[in-house]
Amino acid sequence: MKLLITGAGGLLGSALAREAENRGLEVVGLDRAALDVTDGPAVRAALEEHRPDVVVNCAAYTAVDRAESDEAGAAAVNRDGARHVAAAAAATGALPVYLSTDYVFDGTRKTRYRPDDPTAPVSVYGRTKRDGEVATAAEAPEHLVVRTSWLYGGDEGFVPAILRRARAGEPLRVVSDQRGRPTWAPSAAGTLLDLVERGARGIWHVAGGGECTWLDLACEALGGAGFDVDVESVTSEEFGAAAPRPPYSVLDLTATEQLLGRDMTFWRDDLSRFLEHRDD
Ligand SMILES: NC(=O)c1ccc[n+]([C@@H]2O[C@H](COP(=O)([O-])OP(=O)(O)OC[C@H]3O[C@@H](n4cnc5c(N)ncnc54)[C@H](OP(=O)(O)O)[C@@H]3O)[C@@H](O)[C@H]2O)c1
């Protein structure tokens, strides 16, 4: 199987390229400089040149707060980029895989969100990602949408950021009224490839097992890394981020676990593995 990855310089794109290579798959990883997904003709030319079986679209505008004042920029990548990738994939016989997010849900429920639950994003980022899901399905009847949540790995995402702040002796204020599923990028990459290999189509959820708040995640990461520091618990309102977040965006993993015949790794276990393997 030949895999083409867009946004291959990002957190998930780079983890996916590594995991796919470890599995002996043929991988073409294109970072933003090599392929800008907002350029439709360039996307089509890249797929015609490389002729992949599967295109995993990891290119994304992920600055959730910045998107609130740059809707056009976020939509160009998350919605229009998705359309270009899916259309080129459909035209060249490849399967498009679109990465999406728990932020397509409003998080007002207290029960886990299943893949077929109605979406109701509360932020510009969430809306543009939902629009990317819709565009992918419209352009390519045969497609895969993989929603994940709270990703971290390498030097990217919340966990490395909180460890950097602790190391720098900066004050730590962490939100305690949002619940979700932390996800280690290498685990998400492996599960995504498992879904592709099992022939999954439509929308699937991929995340770490269990659930927690950002405060729980911060305390677990700081303790595991040996920091004995104070962490101030704040509400979303006190934190004052530009973009609203869903208070409860826990993705239901039942369908994924049933298809693959295994449970997703519990978030604390993946966090321990991340802390063991980090090189600082
Ligand atoms: N991070 C999370 O917590 C999280 C949670 C749920 C879902 N997701 C989804 O998972 C996917 C991967 O996210 P990630 O965490 O790996 O994000 P990331 O680290 O920000 O990676 C996204 C990559 O896309 C690139 N990119 C941006 N605009 C592009 C364009 N026009 N053409 C080509 N590449 C472009 C970025 O390049 P630059 O760095 O040069 O901008 C970056 O390398 C995304 O679809 C995201 O929405 C992420």
Side-chain angles (χ1 to χ4, degrees), residues 6-15 30-39 43 57-64 66 73 76-78 81 98-103 125 129 146-152 156-158 181 183 185 206 214 251:
T6 68
L11 168 57
L12 189 63
S14 53
L30 301 178
D31 64 11
R32 185 193 192 130
L35 179 63
D36 181 340
V37 297
T38 66
D39 182 343
V43 172
N57 185 10
C58 292
Y61 186 115
T62 54
V64 176
R66 183 153 37 95
V77 184
N78 295 344
Y98 180 69
L99 264 299
S100 192
T101 168
D102 53 330
Y103 287 4
Y125 167 76
K129 294 299 297 183
V146 173
R147 295 191 188 124
T148 186
S149 62
W150 295 26
L151 275 181
Y152 67 92
E156 306 294 327
F158 174 81
R181 297 192 122 145
T183 307
V206 169
W214 290 111
L251 298 173

Side-chain angles (χ1 to χ4, degrees), residues 26-236:
E26 196 180 343
V27 179
V28 179
L30 301 178
D31 64 11
R32 185 193 192 130
L35 179 63
D36 181 340
V37 297
T38 66
D39 182 343
V43 172
R44 177 72 184 259
L47 267 63
E48 280 174 355
E49 180 190 343
H50 296 290
R51 290 277 157 183
D53 303 300
V54 178
V55 188
V56 187
N57 185 10
C58 292
Y61 186 115
T62 54
V64 176
D65 291 312
R66 183 153 37 95
E68 291 298 303
S69 53
D70 182 20
E71 181 151 8
V77 184
N78 295 344
R79 180 195 62 205
D80 302 338
R83 178 178 305 125
H84 298 321
V85 171
T92 57
L95 173 75
V97 182
Y98 180 69
L99 264 299
S100 192
T101 168
D102 53 330
Y103 287 4
V104 297
F105 297 114
D106 64 12
T108 53
R109 281 191 2 198
K110 286 284 171 276
T111 52
R112 295 172 175 176
Y113 285 91
R114 289 187 309 268
D116 58 352
D117 279 329
T119 56
V122 294
S123 63
V124 168
Y125 167 76
R127 272 201 301 281
T128 60
K129 294 299 297 183
R130 190 265 321 273
D131 293 349
E133 293 183 358
V134 172
T136 299
E139 295 294 338
E142 185 149 344
H143 63 272
L144 178 57
V145 169
V146 173
R147 295 191 188 124
T148 186
S149 62
W150 295 26
L151 275 181
Y152 67 92
D155 295 328
E156 306 294 327
F158 174 81
V159 173
I162 201 87
L163 297 180
R164 272 196 300 276
R165 289 181 68 88
R167 206 171 298 118
E170 293 171 15
L172 305 176
R173 301 172 77 236
V174 182
V175 168
S176 55
D177 60 0
Q178 293 168 26
R179 290 185 78 76
R181 297 192 122 145
T183 307
W184 188 36
S187 279
T191 304
L192 186 154
L193 288 176
D194 290 345
L195 286 172
V196 170
E197 285 171 352
R198 291 297 299 266
R201 299 289 185 269
I203 303 176
W204 293 78
H205 288 172
V206 169
E211 58 178 81
C212 67
T213 67
W214 290 111
L215 181 67
D216 297 330
L217 178 58
C219 292
E220 187 80 12
L222 290 163
F227 288 102
D228 182 13
V229 289
D230 290 333
V231 184
E232 185 188 351
S233 164
V234 294
T235 63
S236 302

